[in-house]
Amino acid sequence: MATSSISAFLKKKNRHTLSILSLLLLLLFLFFLSLFTRSVLEPELSLYTNLISPNPDPLLPSPSGSTQIHEKFDNITNPISSESEFQEEGNEETAVVPILSKPDLVNDDDDTIIQKTSSEPISSDEETNVPISSKSGENIEGRVNNVIAEKLRSCDIYKGRWVKDEDYPLYKPGSCPYVDEAFDCQNNGRPDSGYLNWRWKPDECDLPRFNATDFLVRLRGKRLMLVGDSMNRNQFESLLCLLREALPDKTKMYEVHGYKITKGRGFYIFKIEDYNCTVEFVRSHFLVREGVRVNAQGNSNPTLAIDRIDKSAGRWQRADILVFNTGHWWTHGKTSRGKNYYKEGDYVYPRFDAVKAYRRAITTWAKWINENAKNRKLVFYRGYSSAHFRGGDWDSGGTCNGETEPVVSGAILDSYPQKMTILEEVVKEMEVPLVLLNVTRLTNYRKDGHPSVYGKNVTGIKKVSTRRQDCSHWCLPGVPDAWNELIYTTLVARQT
């Protein structure tokens, strides 16, 4: 009996011991399994950690000499006046010529042009290596820090002079495929080149040297749009050429529809892949709405609704940085005569003063900016660009051929159009902060910078026609490059 009890006790104890050993073995197995799993997964986890790192990309030095995906646009069918040189836009039928297009990226959804990222603007506490223009015109290495940015903010960058600089132009004539024929003066046979070697120098400070790479870093993930007439297209082409200089692989900058730039087309979107940004142009001659009315005889006549924003304004809302202009179209033909042309509501004025119409149109535009650009856009208005016709106007025999040096003295240097005074008065009343890119006085000097008779390629033609000269637009490279340098200076000063 006793032996049987001891045997039962030992069996029970053995079962208990086995249970404990089994539990210990299970725990050891789980421990080693966790160690093994961690060692395998750690590299993968570290890869994903790197991908979502919040640290911004460092600014890269600009290359030597430096200075989307589709929006389905409707045609801009603005009425065209036969009385202005600027009306040539939109009159010609242009074939679509693909240049570096990426058809696989085309998409009907305009919002997919820019892939939104978590990249943040450069902090005001960060310092950026950017060369500063010295008083002698030489490059000196400086650091655009808070002190320099503050000095730029307090400097009147529009009051100054043009100085000779052999480091200019910032891109070689004929090197940029985005300059259309009308502005390609050197390729069109202009024999002199001294007009290319001028740099704008403010009296109170030195501008940062244009750094295309730094500009693109500040533009990363954004849409910059120029809106206006052919003068803004002149500036648009300049900006494309300046930014292109920073790209090692220039095929990664292209017009998303494959369009070649011509004066006949009114909208372009250029994507720069490496920076996930776009530079765009939308034509709007007046910034308010052009239209047509049919009279009692059944004839159609153009009108301008000075109380309604232009119909392209829906596109403006998609941009992060906007650069507007209007001006030259207000001085010609039916616009200046104001007969049965200006309209408010459904009423067409039999006669209306062009200056008053301009003020009301700019007020309409300012109201749109106040309502649509609060807290999220940087808005520029590029001021009136001076023309230099001698002995007449664009349509009455005015010329500028043979001018090879800037103006050094005279009344033109102090001239200031009434349109600019009106603009300043309207801007003062705006709720949204606006940067007035006041280039009027700096363009007063540059009678040498226009295409004049070199707005067409005359290769093989013995004599250049002088019947009509372009003394309003600018050769590229040339004066509009300075306007874009001032935009860059504004971004640096704001540490944007």
Side-chain angles (χ1 to χ4, degrees), residues 35 65 79 186 241 260 282 303 317 367 399 422 426 470 474:
L35 287 178
Q186 289 288 299
C241 294
K260 179 180 173 63
V282 175
T303 60
Q317 290 181 313
K367 181 181 178 183
T399 66
I422 292 170
V426 172
D470 184 354
W474 303 95

Side-chain angles (χ1 to χ4, degrees), residues 340-359:
N340 295 319
Y341 181 60
Y342 294 112
K343 176 181 177 182
E344 286 188 292
D346 294 327
Y347 182 71
V348 178
Y349 291 98
R351 210 173 269 281
F352 199 79
D353 180 68
V355 173
K356 290 181 180 178
Y358 176 80
R359 181 184 291 275

Side-chain angles (χ1 to χ4, degrees), residues 118-185:
S118 59
S119 60
E120 298 177 356
I122 297 171
S123 165
S124 59
D125 296 327
E126 293 181 34
E127 293 183 336
T128 307
N129 288 323
V130 179
I132 306 300
S133 297
S134 70
K135 293 182 180 179
S136 64
E138 298 175 353
N139 281 343
I140 58 175
E141 285 300 320
R143 296 187 71 79
V144 177
N145 54 24
N146 290 339
V147 175
I148 294 174
E150 181 60 36
K151 187 172 182 179
L152 288 172
R153 284 194 289 269
S154 62
C155 174
D156 183 353
I157 60 177
Y158 307 107
K159 182 180 179 183
R161 66 192 187 281
W162 292 91
V163 297
K164 272 287 185 182
D165 191 330
E166 294 305 317
D167 288 336
Y168 278 61
L170 298 174
Y171 51 97
K172 292 180 181 179
S175 67
C176 181
Y178 307 134
V179 177
D180 74 43
E181 182 184 8
F183 311 140
D184 198 4
C185 302

Side-chain angles (χ1 to χ4, degrees), residues 23-37:
L23 181 59
L24 287 173
L25 287 172
L26 179 61
L27 289 172
L28 284 171
F29 173 79
L30 292 174
F31 173 74
F32 285 113
L33 180 63
S34 68
L35 287 178
F36 174 79
T37 303

